Amino acid sequence: MQTTTVGHAPEPEPESDRGRPVPRPVHPWPLTTVMWLRRPLDYWDELYARHGDTFTMKLPAMPPLVVFSNPEVVKQVFADHGDAMHAGEFNKVLAPFIGDKSVLMLDGKEHLRHRRILLPPFHGERMQAYGREMLDLTRAEVDRWPVGAPFGVHEPMQRVTLGVIVRTIFGVEEGPRFDAFVDRLTELTHIASWPPLLLGPMQVDLGPWSPWGKFQRKAAEVDAALLSEIRRRRHGGTEGRVDVLSLLVDAKDESGEGMTDEELRDELATLLVAGHETTATALAWAFRWVLGTPSVCERLVAEIRDAAADGLTAERVSKLEYLDAVVRETLRLQPVIPLVGRILKERMTVGGYDLPAGTPIACAIYLAHRRPEVYPEPKRFLPERFLGTKFTPSELFPFGGGIRRCIGMAFALYEMKMVLAEVLSRVSLRLADQRPITVTRRSITLTPSGGTRVVVDRRL
Ligand code: HEM
């Protein structure tokens, strides 16, 4: 691990009967910003080692962010019903990417209205139909992989997860429209993954060659394609269709109102941004840890190949216990989103601190998942810890929690299992090298550097 000179903690201020005052930021914002963009996890490890469960970070364009990792505080945050803590306001940095009518951006009644409409399509029996698409798209991808030549597995995983979204969520079938959608979205997500674009001052259109100018033009093309897909569904009908867009077009809220075209467009963009890169990255981490831990790899491959003996089906894969443990352990050890954030709407005591209204707070998923009293040997990849044990929602929360918990959680867990099972049942795979694990930031996600380079030894 690289080392950093960390400043001395400021003298504590006297405690009021509402708790201690806000801890002062550890570093000035320019240093914090560089560290947070370049090596966020090492930086957090250092802050945690020096300051413990709670510390404050100053980033540009927002008041100091108070970071917590104690499960008791996480429990308090997830118990809020959206009255005292706003996640939409915290997520505002994403508004230029997904629109301001997205569930991620909203708070209060409007947030609940969108959430109630969005949740049902991601549950129930249709998951098995999505599972078949996930297996098929993975098979088509694996068939293209070279034998004996190293390549980064993150990019193929992005192709699979993007294909899954276009097929199961947007409902676009194979053919030229599917290919055009995938090409446009690949370009857009590539442009949007450059981390500085998250910073307000970078979001200036200086013509078609400037980063924000490029993003704006591609986003306008994607917007038009999404709106045309929505209208196609409104006019062409949704009878017999199981894709998420068809279900959303027909869905109504409690007062019998459906979503407008613009609301639907923002939600489709949200499902793309929230579900594509996150799941691809989680899969790249899963391959990194599984292939780098021979005992796990052996047990997992044996379980999958046994299930594949009579042909791999979505139903069979969804019931594999060790595979389930591997997926959960991957998301524990390497959560792809390191934190969830909220803005306080009133003065409150959180974790023993007296925080004024307007304070941004974060629950540090990465730090909470590495507490040795909850997870013995926390830095080791040990899927066995999930066999027969359930962790509480404040100890394990790769998908956030409470009224903001990830809408695609069941979908993402299902997809990760389908993809891992299909890949490991079709090829014999190993890591291309044993380099130590380092992390690269891509927008809001943290990916394995080099995208987990692998080699296919043979096809099965
Ligand atoms: C491994 C993959 C994924 C991870 C790690 C992940 C993680 C997260 C996290 C941490 C949040 C914030 C929760 C909070 O503030 O408490 C979130 C929200 C959300 N996620 Fe995911 N996600 C994943 C996949 C997906 C997928 C596949 C979809 C849909 C296709 C999706 C849709 C959403 C939506 C719509 C929200 C906003 C919920 C709200 O604000 O009410 N996510 N996700």
Side-chain angles (χ1 to χ4, degrees):
M1 190 200 291
Q2 291 152 287
T3 54
T4 319
T5 313
V6 179
H8 290 290
E11 284 297 310
E13 285 179 24
E15 193 161 334
S16 81
D17 49 358
R18 281 169 166 266
R20 283 164 281 169
V22 193
R24 291 209 188 92
V26 176
H27 292 131
W29 72 263
L31 176 60
T32 305
T33 309
V34 173
M35 301 294 272
W36 185 237
L37 287 179
R38 298 199 54 158
R39 40 187 219 86
L41 301 183
D42 288 350
Y43 185 50
W44 262 9
D45 282 334
E46 287 158 11
L47 293 181
Y48 183 81
R50 195 166 272 246
H51 301 274
D53 278 348
T54 309
F55 50 81
T56 302
M57 286 166 64
K58 177 73 188 103
L59 292 162
M62 68 191 289
L65 173 69
V66 188
V67 181
F68 296 98
S69 50
N70 187 307
E72 282 309 309
V73 180
V74 178
K75 199 168 165 187
Q76 180 186 354
V77 172
F78 290 166
D80 181 71
H81 290 292
D83 306 321
M85 301 182 185
H86 279 186
E89 210 175 318
F90 185 91
N91 296 335
K92 277 287 175 276
V93 63
L94 293 174
F97 298 88
I98 53 184
D100 52 14
K101 294 181 189 67
S102 147
V103 67
L104 260 169
M105 295 303 119
L106 299 170
D107 286 301
K109 277 200 188 111
E110 254 323 91
H111 167 253
L112 284 182
R113 173 178 171 260
H114 279 237
R115 204 173 153 90
R116 282 201 194 106
I117 293 182
L118 283 170
L119 269 170
F122 288 96
H123 293 95
E125 282 171 16
R126 71 188 65 84
M127 207 58 91
Q128 278 196 23
Y130 298 161
R132 279 192 291 279
E133 298 278 11
M134 291 163 181
L135 291 172
D136 289 350
L137 284 157
T138 310
R139 189 173 318 125
E141 177 60 43
V142 177
D143 285 348
R144 296 164 45 183
W145 290 0
V147 175
F151 62 96
V153 83
H154 184 233
E155 220 177 283
M157 290 302 107
Q158 287 176 305
R159 279 195 290 275
V160 171
T161 60
L162 187 58
V164 166
I165 287 181
V166 175
R167 196 72 67 77
T168 63
I169 295 185
F170 300 172
V172 180
E173 278 105 38
E174 216 168 337
R177 265 185 38 254
F178 177 86
D179 296 338
F181 242 114
V182 167
D183 287 349
R184 273 202 198 106
L185 294 174
T186 306
E187 274 184 69
L188 182 68
T189 48
H190 178 72
I191 300 169
S193 67
W194 190 51
L197 273 196
L198 286 172
L199 304 174
M202 291 300 296
Q203 295 173 356
V204 184
D205 186 350
L206 298 173
W209 300 108
S210 64
W212 191 248
K214 252 194 244 173
F215 171 77
Q216 293 271 289
R217 281 155 188 79
K218 196 43 76 182
E221 274 180 36
V222 168
D223 262 12
L226 289 177
L227 281 169
S228 121
E229 207 52 46
I230 293 165
R231 287 176 194 135
R232 182 187 292 268
R233 215 55 54 80
R234 287 221 199 270
H235 300 128
T238 54
E239 180 89 32
R241 300 189 61 111
V242 290
D243 56 272
V244 173
L245 173 56
S246 295
L247 299 165
L248 292 180
V249 161
D250 291 340
K252 304 271 181 277
D253 62 19
E254 282 153 349
S255 55
E257 290 285 314
M259 282 193 187
T260 64
D261 284 4
E262 284 66 32
E263 285 175 323
L264 276 171
R265 183 215 39 215
D266 284 3
E267 294 305 8
L268 291 184
T270 302
L271 298 174
L272 169 75
V273 168
H276 158 53
E277 182 73 24
T278 45
T279 315
T281 301
L283 281 161
W285 279 118
F287 282 110
R288 176 65 190 78
W289 287 109
V290 167
L291 300 177
T293 321
S295 58
V296 172
C297 191
E298 222 169 276
R299 184 166 175 184
L300 180 64
V301 164
E303 183 185 62
I304 289 170
R305 292 189 189 156
D306 190 36
D310 300 323
L312 218 49
T313 62
E315 196 192 354
R316 220 168 275 157
V317 174
S318 67
K319 292 192 176 132
L320 299 180
E321 281 181 9
Y322 197 62
L323 175 61
D324 183 71
V326 162
V327 164
R328 287 176 202 276
E329 175 68 344
T330 301
L331 292 166
R332 176 197 71 83
L333 188 55
Q334 216 73 54
V336 291
I337 297 178
L339 61 82
V340 288
R342 310 283 186 259
I343 307 258
L344 301 189
K345 297 314 292 173
E346 53 195 55
R347 183 178 174 189
M348 292 178 77
T349 307
V350 182
Y353 289 91
D354 175 18
L355 305 183
T359 306
I361 61 165
C363 296
I365 306 178
Y366 168 79
L367 293 175
H369 284 187
R370 289 182 174 224
R371 295 174 78 84
E373 72 276 18
V374 183
Y375 303 103
E377 299 188 83
K379 291 183 183 170
R380 285 188 63 198
F381 184 64
L382 288 174
E384 284 72 10
R385 65 172 102 241
F386 280 91
L387 296 175
T389 310
K390 273 202 162 213
F391 296 93
T392 68
S394 50
E395 291 168 342
L396 184 77
F397 52 100
F399 296 97
I403 59 150
R404 307 299 300 220
R405 196 177 74 179
C406 175
I407 284 174
M409 180 175 93
F411 187 92
L413 291 170
Y414 205 77
E415 181 172 4
M416 285 182 72
K417 291 187 212 174
M418 296 302 140
V419 175
L420 285 169
E422 185 66 40
V423 169
L424 295 174
S425 71
R426 300 190 79 77
V427 287
S428 178
L429 210 56
R430 64 177 160 84
L431 286 180
D433 53 61
Q434 293 292 337
R435 267 181 263 178
I437 295 172
T438 49
V439 174
T440 302
R441 179 185 280 283
R442 284 176 55 92
S443 189
I444 54 165
T445 59
L446 303 178
T447 59
S449 302
T452 304
R453 292 185 61 73
V454 298
V455 177
V456 172
D457 278 332
R458 62 191 171 90
R459 296 193 176 279
L460 302 167

